[in-house]
Amino acid sequence: MLAVAVLAAGKGTRMKSELPKVLQPLAGSTLVERVLASCRHLAPQRQLLIVGHQAERVEASLAGQPGLEFVLQQPQHGTGHAVQQLLAPLEGFEGDLLVLNGDVPLLRPATLEALLEQHQRTRAAVTLLTARLDDPSGYGRVFAADDGRVSAIVEHRDCTEEQRRNPLINAGIYCFNWPQLAAVLPSLTTDNDQGELYLTDTVGMLEPAMHQEVADAAEISGINDRLQLAQCEAALQERLRRHWMAEGVTFVDPASCTLSEGTRFGRDVLVEPQCHFRGATSIGAGCRIGPGCLIEDSRLEEGVQALYSVVRQAVVGAGCSLGPFAQVRPGSTLAEHCHVGNFVEVKNSSLGAGVKVNHLSYIGDADLGERVNVGAGTITANYDGVRKHRTVIGAGSKTGANSVLVAPISLGENVTVGAGSTLTRNVPSGALALGRARQLVKENWSGPQSG
Ligand code: UD1
Ligand code: CA
């Protein structure tokens, strides 16, 4: 039997933020979401999240997570006090308790698996994760014998100069035998520099207490301030890029690009400098993205080319070309081989195969049939000041430069709209529509004479 508890009640004073620390973002998810994800594959029987500072906000951010029990720690008197709050909800629980710090977000699932495996094999009372750091400052130091037995953990601020030279640190990840921990939790004291109840003090009361050292110390980086947040983001981005390079993606300038955990790439994608992929995004094989693109919660099919463009919550069909400087906004679907060119905005619209909107246009709340050719500067006027209305343009139609289509309006197939037209009424298939002042020419006109 396994229960997991994540400590997420602290304020995170060192972040100097209105946001609770565990809700700070990292590669598109919050710290606490990442921590919860790192133990999901262990399929624990119970999953408890200890909340306190801005508890409602933390709970609301995790409302969609099934099976998560929120345990309130109010006020917050330290990590030991946090775990004391589990005495009631875990009363009678006979298994192991995995305790994770809510601010240690880079843990690999395999690392937790190995910790649990050692803990169960050795039948220790507690097994904690440790690392050897070149710069251990800030972390609790772990004092252990060569056989892996831990005698004590001393917080950095409580250490003597001599103790601070110990490079072995506490990662804040522990596997406890719950009944044994429950027996010693009530005897914690506040005898330390912060006057808090430290979970780390239980280690000296449990027998045997063991540790397991992680191979890659980057995994257990704790986030206490903005510098560490940035360092973790960089480490995570590096990990994501390496993964996709191994899967056949070329990054011309990897360090200039960022990915989300939910980004997927097909083979032979070429990513030029300064591209950012967010949310649940998939990029089809052979796409050429960038330089300078932002793609969020979108699907790009095979062979799309995008240059200095922004795509959000949209689907872009195979072989489309976007930009430079195109914006494809939420709710848009482009069929294959569309061209959306410079300074074109497409919003909540569907474009049939082979549509061309090459220059300076706004296409909003519109449905364009196959091969529609939208002339430079064409605008769908979708908003009457109160409501949005749709524009429909049938297959093969062409709009002249600077046309305004005032929605709701429907153009049939193979319609031609004269340049500079403002249309407010429907146009049947095959028609030419002109909605502009007739040109007047006065010959031999020298204009008003001065003087
Ligand atoms: C803690 C460990 C330290 C370890 C480090 C690893 C203790 C006493 N120290 O120190 O040995 O090296 O983590 O990153 O445990 N929290 C609560 N309730 C509280 C206080 C904290 O839920 O009353 C939560 C915080 O939200 C955070 C986690 O516990 O997610 C750790 O707290 P933090 O104050 O960051 O501990 P550290 O000083 O980093
Ligand atoms: Ca911390």
Side-chain angles (χ1 to χ4, degrees), residues 7-11 14 21-22 50 73 76-79 81-82 101-104 138-140 153 155 169-172 174 194 196 198-200 220 222 224:
L7 308 189
K11 182 171 179 211
R14 288 164 280 183
K21 178 164 68 175
V22 293
I50 298 169
Q73 181 200 11
Q76 296 89 43
H77 287 317
T79 50
H81 181 243
N101 269 5
D103 63 351
V104 180
Y139 291 94
I153 303 176
E155 289 307 294
I169 64 99
N170 169 29
Y174 322 77
Q194 294 193 92
E196 291 188 344
Y198 284 171
L199 179 61
T200 44
I220 53 84
N224 298 312

mmCIF file of all heavy atoms in Angstrom, residues 7-11 14 21-22 50 73 76-79 81-82 101-104 138-140 153 155 169-172 174 194 196 198-200 220 222 224, ligand 1:
data_model
loop_
_atom_site.group_PDB
_atom_site.id
_atom_site.type_symbol
_atom_site.label_atom_id
_atom_site.label_comp_id
_atom_site.label_asym_id
_atom_site.label_seq_id
_atom_site.Cartn_x
_atom_site.Cartn_y
_atom_site.Cartn_z
ATOM 1 N N LEU A 7 3.829 18.322 -0.145
ATOM 2 C CA LEU A 7 3.809 19.484 0.742
ATOM 3 C C LEU A 7 3.703 20.757 -0.091
ATOM 4 O O LEU A 7 4.617 21.089 -0.846
ATOM 5 C CB LEU A 7 5.085 19.544 1.579
ATOM 6 C CG LEU A 7 5.482 18.279 2.345
ATOM 7 C CD1 LEU A 7 6.646 18.588 3.286
ATOM 8 C CD2 LEU A 7 4.296 17.727 3.126
ATOM 9 N N ALA A 8 2.579 21.437 0.032
ATOM 10 C CA ALA A 8 2.352 22.602 -0.824
ATOM 11 C C ALA A 8 1.670 23.733 -0.070
ATOM 12 O O ALA A 8 0.923 24.520 -0.635
ATOM 13 C CB ALA A 8 1.504 22.190 -2.028
ATOM 14 N N ALA A 9 1.919 23.808 1.234
ATOM 15 C CA ALA A 9 1.208 24.801 2.041
ATOM 16 C C ALA A 9 2.007 26.076 2.259
ATOM 17 O O ALA A 9 1.461 27.090 2.681
ATOM 18 C CB ALA A 9 0.843 24.189 3.396
ATOM 19 N N GLY A 10 3.299 26.028 1.964
ATOM 20 C CA GLY A 10 4.151 27.175 2.266
ATOM 21 C C GLY A 10 3.852 28.373 1.382
ATOM 22 O O GLY A 10 3.259 28.252 0.315
ATOM 23 N N LYS A 11 4.296 29.522 1.852
ATOM 24 C CA LYS A 11 4.022 30.757 1.129
ATOM 25 C C LYS A 11 5.023 30.965 0.002
ATOM 26 O O LYS A 11 4.690 31.499 -1.057
ATOM 27 C CB LYS A 11 4.112 31.918 2.122
ATOM 28 C CG LYS A 11 3.808 33.262 1.535
ATOM 29 C CD LYS A 11 3.715 34.305 2.627
ATOM 30 C CE LYS A 11 3.431 35.657 1.996
ATOM 31 N NZ LYS A 11 3.978 36.767 2.724
ATOM 32 N N ARG A 14 10.490 33.663 -0.418
ATOM 33 C CA ARG A 14 11.637 34.091 -1.211
ATOM 34 C C ARG A 14 11.302 34.368 -2.681
ATOM 35 O O ARG A 14 12.087 34.961 -3.410
ATOM 36 C CB ARG A 14 12.761 33.044 -1.106
ATOM 37 C CG ARG A 14 13.434 33.040 0.258
ATOM 38 C CD ARG A 14 14.261 31.792 0.501
ATOM 39 N NE ARG A 14 13.444 30.638 0.900
ATOM 40 C CZ ARG A 14 13.928 29.436 1.230
ATOM 41 N NH1 ARG A 14 15.230 29.222 1.189
ATOM 42 N NH2 ARG A 14 13.119 28.451 1.583
ATOM 43 N N LYS A 21 3.818 29.731 -4.170
ATOM 44 C CA LYS A 21 4.990 29.210 -4.900
ATOM 45 C C LYS A 21 4.666 28.019 -5.786
ATOM 46 O O LYS A 21 5.119 27.944 -6.929
ATOM 47 C CB LYS A 21 6.098 28.840 -3.914
ATOM 48 C CG LYS A 21 7.316 28.251 -4.613
ATOM 49 C CD LYS A 21 8.541 28.222 -3.748
ATOM 50 C CE LYS A 21 8.429 27.263 -2.593
ATOM 51 N NZ LYS A 21 9.700 27.191 -1.856
ATOM 52 N N VAL A 22 3.861 27.090 -5.261
ATOM 53 C CA VAL A 22 3.618 25.864 -6.033
ATOM 54 C C VAL A 22 2.791 26.114 -7.292
ATOM 55 O O VAL A 22 2.626 25.217 -8.112
ATOM 56 C CB VAL A 22 2.949 24.760 -5.173
ATOM 57 C CG1 VAL A 22 3.915 24.287 -4.097
ATOM 58 C CG2 VAL A 22 1.632 25.234 -4.587
ATOM 59 N N ILE A 50 -1.056 18.789 0.776
ATOM 60 C CA ILE A 50 -1.166 19.642 1.954
ATOM 61 C C ILE A 50 -1.142 21.091 1.511
ATOM 62 O O ILE A 50 -0.178 21.552 0.902
ATOM 63 C CB ILE A 50 -0.049 19.320 2.960
ATOM 64 C CG1 ILE A 50 -0.248 17.867 3.396
ATOM 65 C CG2 ILE A 50 -0.106 20.275 4.159
ATOM 66 C CD1 ILE A 50 0.867 17.286 4.155
ATOM 67 N N GLN A 73 -3.425 22.788 6.183
ATOM 68 C CA GLN A 73 -2.472 23.081 7.255
ATOM 69 C C GLN A 73 -2.570 24.581 7.529
ATOM 70 O O GLN A 73 -2.113 25.398 6.742
ATOM 71 C CB GLN A 73 -1.034 22.728 6.829
ATOM 72 C CG GLN A 73 -0.018 23.003 7.935
ATOM 73 C CD GLN A 73 1.410 23.133 7.412
ATOM 74 O OE1 GLN A 73 1.646 23.214 6.207
ATOM 75 N NE2 GLN A 73 2.359 23.178 8.319
ATOM 76 N N GLN A 76 0.941 27.610 9.078
ATOM 77 C CA GLN A 76 2.014 26.736 8.622
ATOM 78 C C GLN A 76 3.224 26.855 9.556
ATOM 79 O O GLN A 76 3.866 27.888 9.605
ATOM 80 C CB GLN A 76 2.447 27.101 7.196
ATOM 81 C CG GLN A 76 1.354 26.899 6.156
ATOM 82 C CD GLN A 76 0.481 28.129 5.971
ATOM 83 O OE1 GLN A 76 0.982 29.235 5.910
ATOM 84 N NE2 GLN A 76 -0.830 27.940 5.903
ATOM 85 N N HIS A 77 3.462 25.770 10.295
ATOM 86 C CA HIS A 77 4.581 25.774 11.245
ATOM 87 C C HIS A 77 5.705 24.850 10.815
ATOM 88 O O HIS A 77 6.347 24.225 11.649
ATOM 89 C CB HIS A 77 4.079 25.383 12.639
ATOM 90 C CG HIS A 77 3.291 26.464 13.300
ATOM 91 N ND1 HIS A 77 3.670 27.785 13.282
ATOM 92 C CD2 HIS A 77 2.126 26.428 13.991
ATOM 93 C CE1 HIS A 77 2.790 28.521 13.935
ATOM 94 N NE2 HIS A 77 1.834 27.722 14.369
ATOM 95 N N GLY A 78 5.901 24.690 9.499
ATOM 96 C CA GLY A 78 7.038 23.901 9.032
ATOM 97 C C GLY A 78 6.638 22.569 8.419
ATOM 98 O O GLY A 78 5.484 22.137 8.505
ATOM 99 N N THR A 79 7.634 21.931 7.802
ATOM 100 C CA THR A 79 7.360 20.696 7.054
ATOM 101 C C THR A 79 6.904 19.549 7.971
ATOM 102 O O THR A 79 6.095 18.710 7.571
ATOM 103 C CB THR A 79 8.601 20.248 6.261
ATOM 104 O OG1 THR A 79 9.744 20.248 7.139
ATOM 105 C CG2 THR A 79 8.893 21.181 5.102
ATOM 106 N N HIS A 81 5.203 19.960 10.795
ATOM 107 C CA HIS A 81 3.826 20.328 11.128
ATOM 108 C C HIS A 81 2.887 19.969 9.973
ATOM 109 O O HIS A 81 1.769 19.491 10.180
ATOM 110 C CB HIS A 81 3.779 21.841 11.434
ATOM 111 C CG HIS A 81 2.434 22.338 11.810
ATOM 112 N ND1 HIS A 81 1.757 23.265 11.058
ATOM 113 C CD2 HIS A 81 1.633 22.042 12.861
ATOM 114 C CE1 HIS A 81 0.595 23.522 11.624
ATOM 115 N NE2 HIS A 81 0.488 22.797 12.727
ATOM 116 N N ALA A 82 3.381 20.173 8.754
ATOM 117 C CA ALA A 82 2.575 19.832 7.575
ATOM 118 C C ALA A 82 2.226 18.347 7.584
ATOM 119 O O ALA A 82 1.077 17.955 7.400
ATOM 120 C CB ALA A 82 3.338 20.191 6.291
ATOM 121 N N ASN A 101 8.243 17.256 -1.827
ATOM 122 C CA ASN A 101 8.142 18.701 -1.672
ATOM 123 C C ASN A 101 7.473 19.276 -2.921
ATOM 124 O O ASN A 101 7.851 18.930 -4.034
ATOM 125 C CB ASN A 101 9.545 19.315 -1.537
ATOM 126 C CG ASN A 101 9.992 19.413 -0.093
ATOM 127 O OD1 ASN A 101 9.305 18.949 0.807
ATOM 128 N ND2 ASN A 101 11.134 20.026 0.127
ATOM 129 N N GLY A 102 6.517 20.157 -2.714
ATOM 130 C CA GLY A 102 5.808 20.748 -3.853
ATOM 131 C C GLY A 102 6.668 21.660 -4.693
ATOM 132 O O GLY A 102 6.259 22.107 -5.762
ATOM 133 N N ASP A 103 7.889 21.954 -4.239
ATOM 134 C CA ASP A 103 8.749 22.872 -4.987
ATOM 135 C C ASP A 103 9.970 22.167 -5.576
ATOM 136 O O ASP A 103 10.979 22.800 -5.843
ATOM 137 C CB ASP A 103 9.167 24.057 -4.105
ATOM 138 C CG ASP A 103 9.995 23.626 -2.894
ATOM 139 O OD1 ASP A 103 10.108 22.401 -2.643
ATOM 140 O OD2 ASP A 103 10.526 24.507 -2.194
ATOM 141 N N VAL A 104 9.861 20.843 -5.761
ATOM 142 C CA VAL A 104 10.951 20.076 -6.395
ATOM 143 C C VAL A 104 10.371 19.422 -7.658
ATOM 144 O O VAL A 104 9.914 18.281 -7.622
ATOM 145 C CB VAL A 104 11.525 19.023 -5.415
ATOM 146 C CG1 VAL A 104 12.656 18.230 -6.063
ATOM 147 C CG2 VAL A 104 12.026 19.697 -4.146
ATOM 148 N N GLY A 138 21.895 26.376 1.272
ATOM 149 C CA GLY A 138 20.440 26.470 1.309
ATOM 150 C C GLY A 138 19.768 25.158 1.675
ATOM 151 O O GLY A 138 18.695 25.152 2.264
ATOM 152 N N TYR A 139 20.369 24.052 1.307
ATOM 153 C CA TYR A 139 19.760 22.741 1.558
ATOM 154 C C TYR A 139 20.115 22.206 2.951
ATOM 155 O O TYR A 139 21.142 22.576 3.527
ATOM 156 C CB TYR A 139 20.242 21.719 0.529
ATOM 157 C CG TYR A 139 19.729 21.957 -0.872
ATOM 158 C CD1 TYR A 139 20.470 22.674 -1.795
ATOM 159 C CD2 TYR A 139 18.493 21.455 -1.271
ATOM 160 C CE1 TYR A 139 20.008 22.880 -3.089
ATOM 161 C CE2 TYR A 139 18.017 21.658 -2.552
ATOM 162 C CZ TYR A 139 18.771 22.370 -3.461
ATOM 163 O OH TYR A 139 18.310 22.575 -4.730
ATOM 164 N N GLY A 140 19.294 21.287 3.430
ATOM 165 C CA GLY A 140 19.616 20.562 4.646
ATOM 166 C C GLY A 140 20.760 19.593 4.341
ATOM 167 O O GLY A 140 20.778 18.959 3.293
ATOM 168 N N ILE A 153 19.718 15.086 9.812
ATOM 169 C CA ILE A 153 19.689 16.119 8.769
ATOM 170 C C ILE A 153 19.706 17.447 9.505
ATOM 171 O O ILE A 153 18.912 17.663 10.425
ATOM 172 C CB ILE A 153 18.417 16.047 7.909
ATOM 173 C CG1 ILE A 153 18.265 14.663 7.277
ATOM 174 C CG2 ILE A 153 18.445 17.126 6.836
ATOM 175 C CD1 ILE A 153 16.969 14.480 6.495
ATOM 176 N N GLU A 155 19.514 21.556 8.925
ATOM 177 C CA GLU A 155 19.224 22.620 7.964
ATOM 178 C C GLU A 155 20.426 23.541 7.819
ATOM 179 O O GLU A 155 21.159 23.787 8.794
ATOM 180 C CB GLU A 155 18.003 23.421 8.417
ATOM 181 C CG GLU A 155 16.705 22.670 8.295
ATOM 182 C CD GLU A 155 16.494 22.089 6.893
ATOM 183 O OE1 GLU A 155 16.344 22.859 5.935
ATOM 184 O OE2 GLU A 155 16.513 20.855 6.763
ATOM 185 N N ILE A 169 23.238 16.536 0.396
ATOM 186 C CA ILE A 169 22.056 17.317 0.794
ATOM 187 C C ILE A 169 20.771 16.486 0.738
ATOM 188 O O ILE A 169 20.686 15.468 0.051
ATOM 189 C CB ILE A 169 21.899 18.580 -0.081
ATOM 190 C CG1 ILE A 169 21.628 18.225 -1.551
ATOM 191 C CG2 ILE A 169 23.115 19.482 0.038
ATOM 192 C CD1 ILE A 169 20.189 18.288 -1.950
ATOM 193 N N ASN A 170 19.785 16.975 1.468
ATOM 194 C CA ASN A 170 18.457 16.364 1.506
ATOM 195 C C ASN A 170 17.618 16.939 0.374
ATOM 196 O O ASN A 170 17.424 18.149 0.284
ATOM 197 C CB ASN A 170 17.824 16.700 2.870
ATOM 198 C CG ASN A 170 16.345 16.337 2.927
ATOM 199 O OD1 ASN A 170 15.907 15.410 2.245
ATOM 200 N ND2 ASN A 170 15.598 17.062 3.755
ATOM 201 N N ALA A 171 17.097 16.058 -0.469
ATOM 202 C CA ALA A 171 16.310 16.509 -1.623
ATOM 203 C C ALA A 171 14.886 16.889 -1.229
ATOM 204 O O ALA A 171 14.162 17.492 -2.015
ATOM 205 C CB ALA A 171 16.279 15.412 -2.678
ATOM 206 N N GLY A 172 14.473 16.502 -0.033
ATOM 207 C CA GLY A 172 13.088 16.794 0.369
ATOM 208 C C GLY A 172 12.107 15.749 -0.137
ATOM 209 O O GLY A 172 10.914 15.988 -0.212
ATOM 210 N N TYR A 174 10.995 11.761 0.500
ATOM 211 C CA TYR A 174 11.193 10.709 1.488
ATOM 212 C C TYR A 174 10.170 9.594 1.298
ATOM 213 O O TYR A 174 9.023 9.852 0.952
ATOM 214 C CB TYR A 174 10.972 11.223 2.909
ATOM 215 C CG TYR A 174 11.459 12.606 3.188
ATOM 216 C CD1 TYR A 174 10.740 13.719 2.739
ATOM 217 C CD2 TYR A 174 12.613 12.814 3.940
ATOM 218 C CE1 TYR A 174 11.174 14.998 3.026
ATOM 219 C CE2 TYR A 174 13.050 14.098 4.219
ATOM 220 C CZ TYR A 174 12.332 15.192 3.755
ATOM 221 O OH TYR A 174 12.759 16.458 4.039
ATOM 222 N N GLN A 194 14.472 28.584 12.869
ATOM 223 C CA GLN A 194 13.203 29.148 12.387
ATOM 224 C C GLN A 194 12.055 28.955 13.371
ATOM 225 O O GLN A 194 10.954 29.439 13.143
ATOM 226 C CB GLN A 194 12.801 28.502 11.057
ATOM 227 C CG GLN A 194 13.746 28.816 9.916
ATOM 228 C CD GLN A 194 13.136 28.435 8.566
ATOM 229 O OE1 GLN A 194 12.503 29.228 7.903
ATOM 230 N NE2 GLN A 194 13.332 27.181 8.188
ATOM 231 N N GLU A 196 10.403 26.248 13.805
ATOM 232 C CA GLU A 196 9.380 25.458 13.110
ATOM 233 C C GLU A 196 9.500 23.979 13.483
ATOM 234 O O GLU A 196 10.504 23.552 14.052
ATOM 235 C CB GLU A 196 9.555 25.588 11.593
ATOM 236 C CG GLU A 196 9.220 26.971 11.067
ATOM 237 C CD GLU A 196 9.212 27.025 9.538
ATOM 238 O OE1 GLU A 196 9.760 26.097 8.893
ATOM 239 O OE2 GLU A 196 8.649 28.002 9.005
ATOM 240 N N TYR A 198 10.295 20.589 12.049
ATOM 241 C CA TYR A 198 10.971 20.095 10.843
ATOM 242 C C TYR A 198 10.697 18.608 10.630
ATOM 243 O O TYR A 198 10.958 17.792 11.513
ATOM 244 C CB TYR A 198 12.497 20.252 10.990
ATOM 245 C CG TYR A 198 13.039 21.656 10.824
ATOM 246 C CD1 TYR A 198 14.381 21.913 11.124
ATOM 247 C CD2 TYR A 198 12.251 22.700 10.357
ATOM 248 C CE1 TYR A 198 14.914 23.179 10.956
ATOM 249 C CE2 TYR A 198 12.784 23.971 10.189
ATOM 250 C CZ TYR A 198 14.113 24.212 10.488
ATOM 251 O OH TYR A 198 14.652 25.450 10.320
ATOM 252 N N LEU A 199 10.230 18.274 9.439
ATOM 253 C CA LEU A 199 10.051 16.862 9.099
ATOM 254 C C LEU A 199 11.391 16.131 9.162
ATOM 255 O O LEU A 199 11.465 14.957 9.526
ATOM 256 C CB LEU A 199 9.457 16.745 7.680
ATOM 257 C CG LEU A 199 9.224 15.335 7.175
ATOM 258 C CD1 LEU A 199 8.235 14.579 8.060
ATOM 259 C CD2 LEU A 199 8.727 15.355 5.732
ATOM 260 N N THR A 200 12.443 16.860 8.821
ATOM 261 C CA THR A 200 13.778 16.260 8.771
ATOM 262 C C THR A 200 14.222 15.729 10.141
ATOM 263 O O THR A 200 15.050 14.831 10.211
ATOM 264 C CB THR A 200 14.790 17.305 8.283
ATOM 265 O OG1 THR A 200 14.517 18.546 8.957
ATOM 266 C CG2 THR A 200 14.664 17.529 6.800
ATOM 267 N N ILE A 220 16.792 17.097 -8.554
ATOM 268 C CA ILE A 220 16.213 17.368 -7.241
ATOM 269 C C ILE A 220 16.333 18.847 -6.858
ATOM 270 O O ILE A 220 16.111 19.209 -5.712
ATOM 271 C CB ILE A 220 16.797 16.454 -6.149
ATOM 272 C CG1 ILE A 220 18.331 16.499 -6.118
ATOM 273 C CG2 ILE A 220 16.380 15.019 -6.368
ATOM 274 C CD1 ILE A 220 18.894 17.621 -5.344
ATOM 275 N N GLY A 222 15.512 22.275 -5.833
ATOM 276 C CA GLY A 222 14.335 22.869 -5.205
ATOM 277 C C GLY A 222 14.202 24.309 -5.675
ATOM 278 O O GLY A 222 15.199 24.965 -5.991
ATOM 279 N N ASN A 224 13.177 27.946 -4.670
ATOM 280 C CA ASN A 224 12.820 28.866 -3.593
ATOM 281 C C ASN A 224 12.739 30.312 -4.067
ATOM 282 O O ASN A 224 12.068 31.129 -3.465
ATOM 283 C CB ASN A 224 13.838 28.775 -2.456
ATOM 284 C CG ASN A 224 13.857 27.377 -1.857
ATOM 285 O OD1 ASN A 224 12.815 26.805 -1.560
ATOM 286 N ND2 ASN A 224 15.037 26.810 -1.724
HETATM 287 C C1 UD1 B 1 13.395 21.615 2.851
HETATM 288 C C2 UD1 B 1 14.105 20.675 3.829
HETATM 289 C C3 UD1 B 1 15.594 20.651 3.491
HETATM 290 C C4 UD1 B 1 15.776 20.212 2.047
HETATM 291 C C5 UD1 B 1 14.960 21.079 1.101
HETATM 292 C C6 UD1 B 1 14.966 20.462 -0.280
HETATM 293 C C7 UD1 B 1 12.882 20.793 5.943
HETATM 294 C C8 UD1 B 1 12.910 21.326 7.328
HETATM 295 N N1 UD1 B 1 13.926 21.137 5.187
HETATM 296 O O1 UD1 B 1 13.921 22.912 3.083
HETATM 297 O O2 UD1 B 1 16.268 19.742 4.352
HETATM 298 O O3 UD1 B 1 17.154 20.271 1.715
HETATM 299 O O4 UD1 B 1 13.592 21.151 1.516
HETATM 300 O O5 UD1 B 1 14.379 21.279 -1.253
HETATM 301 O O6 UD1 B 1 12.004 20.078 5.590
HETATM 302 N N2 UD1 B 1 5.674 23.505 3.379
HETATM 303 C C9 UD1 B 1 4.431 23.223 3.882
HETATM 304 N N3 UD1 B 1 4.123 23.675 5.147
HETATM 305 C C10 UD1 B 1 4.982 24.378 5.900
HETATM 306 C C11 UD1 B 1 6.263 24.649 5.366
HETATM 307 C C12 UD1 B 1 6.596 24.180 4.110
HETATM 308 O O7 UD1 B 1 3.617 22.589 3.244
HETATM 309 O O8 UD1 B 1 4.607 24.751 7.026
HETATM 310 C C13 UD1 B 1 6.002 23.019 2.031
HETATM 311 C C14 UD1 B 1 6.383 24.140 1.097
HETATM 312 O O9 UD1 B 1 5.237 24.625 0.406
HETATM 313 C C15 UD1 B 1 7.360 23.466 0.148
HETATM 314 C C16 UD1 B 1 7.964 22.367 0.984
HETATM 315 O O10 UD1 B 1 7.120 22.188 2.108
HETATM 316 O O11 UD1 B 1 6.722 22.895 -0.961
HETATM 317 C C17 UD1 B 1 9.387 22.685 1.455
HETATM 318 O O12 UD1 B 1 9.363 23.862 2.247
HETATM 319 P P1 UD1 B 1 10.529 24.928 2.178
HETATM 320 O O13 UD1 B 1 10.224 26.005 3.159
HETATM 321 O O14 UD1 B 1 10.792 25.330 0.785
HETATM 322 O O15 UD1 B 1 11.741 24.061 2.752
HETATM 323 P P2 UD1 B 1 13.282 24.281 2.493
HETATM 324 O O16 UD1 B 1 13.765 25.395 3.347
HETATM 325 O O17 UD1 B 1 13.568 24.381 1.056
#
